[in-house]
């Protein structure tokens, strides 16, 4: 038997602070993992925990979108038995996102940089800058 058309989406993001060993736990959503593999992909360093917080949200298809302040990427992770497996890594920009926030939208995840107002649309296919945000940025710079 299979139950189809399951919507796994979380209505709001979770913000978690790692402990000294890099472990985070979201009691509300029943998720616990270590962030050091993500930190290593961003910084090539795991000698100490330098990631102050991680932000994640789960999309309707069950994938997790994860990022953190100063990270250059959003990580698309699939839940596996006892693991979160990297499916894709989406480049936000080379400077990194300073104040990230995720929002659940109708058919995509919205990623905001609260510092500069930039907005991106995320799906399992990729990341794209929100066209209306790009237009507003161009108009404001004129």
């Amino acid at each position: 038997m299979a139950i189809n058309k399951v919507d796994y989406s979380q209505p709001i993001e979770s913000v978690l602070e790692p402990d000294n060993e890099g472990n985070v736990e979201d009691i509300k959503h029943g998720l616990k993992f270590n962030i050091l593999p993500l930190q290593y992909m961003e910084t090539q360093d795991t000698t100490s925990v330098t990631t102050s917080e991680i932000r994640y949200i789960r999309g309707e298809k069950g994938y997790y979108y994860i990022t953190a302040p100063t990270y250059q990427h959003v990580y698309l992770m699939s839940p596996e038995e006892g693991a979160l497996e990297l499916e894709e890594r989406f480049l936000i920009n080379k400077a990194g996102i300073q104040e990230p926030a995720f929002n659940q939208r109708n058919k995509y995840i919205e990623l905001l940089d609260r510092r500069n107002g930039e907005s991106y649309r995320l799906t399992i296919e990729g990341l794209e800058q929100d066209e209306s945000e790009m237009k507003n940025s161009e108009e404001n710079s004129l």
Side-chain angles (χ1 to χ4, degrees):
M1 180 188 81
I3 299 173
N4 296 314
K5 298 184 181 179
V6 175
D7 184 348
Y8 289 100
S9 60
Q10 267 178 238
I12 57 173
E13 72 178 350
S14 293
V15 181
L16 306 173
E17 293 182 21
D19 65 16
N20 291 339
E21 285 146 18
N23 297 312
V24 293
E25 183 172 11
D26 186 348
I27 295 168
K28 180 178 178 183
H29 294 106
L31 185 64
K32 183 169 141 179
F33 62 95
N34 189 286
I35 58 105
L36 289 179
L38 293 170
Q39 179 181 298
Y40 184 79
M41 289 196 72
E42 283 292 315
T43 66
Q44 305 303 298
D45 183 20
T46 56
T47 56
S48 66
V49 177
T50 57
T51 302
S52 61
E53 68 180 25
I54 62 123
R55 291 174 173 266
Y56 84 87
I57 196 164
R58 194 169 189 191
E60 70 177 341
K61 295 185 190 255
Y63 293 94
Y64 292 94
Y65 298 83
I66 304 172
T67 196
T70 72
Y71 278 22
Q72 296 176 358
H73 299 90
V74 171
Y75 294 86
L76 179 68
M77 310 294 288
S78 65
E80 302 297 332
E81 189 173 326
L84 286 174
E85 193 162 309
L86 178 66
E87 291 294 320
E88 193 66 53
R89 182 169 80 154
F90 304 123
L91 178 66
I92 304 164
N93 64 52
K94 293 284 185 189
I97 189 163
Q98 299 308 306
E99 295 181 29
F102 287 119
N103 292 308
Q104 188 70 239
R105 297 295 182 228
N106 192 12
K107 293 291 177 189
Y108 63 94
I109 302 293
E110 178 184 44
L111 172 64
L112 297 170
D113 189 338
R114 293 169 296 152
R115 178 171 286 174
N116 62 20
E118 289 180 351
S119 175
Y120 303 88
R121 293 174 184 244
L122 283 159
T123 65
I124 59 173
E125 285 84 31
L127 174 142
E128 62 184 47
Q129 191 162 16
D130 190 325
E131 295 296 323
S132 61
E133 283 297 317
M134 288 172 35
K135 186 185 253 185
N136 289 340
S137 295
E138 290 170 4
E139 289 171 0
N140 291 337
S141 66
L142 295 176

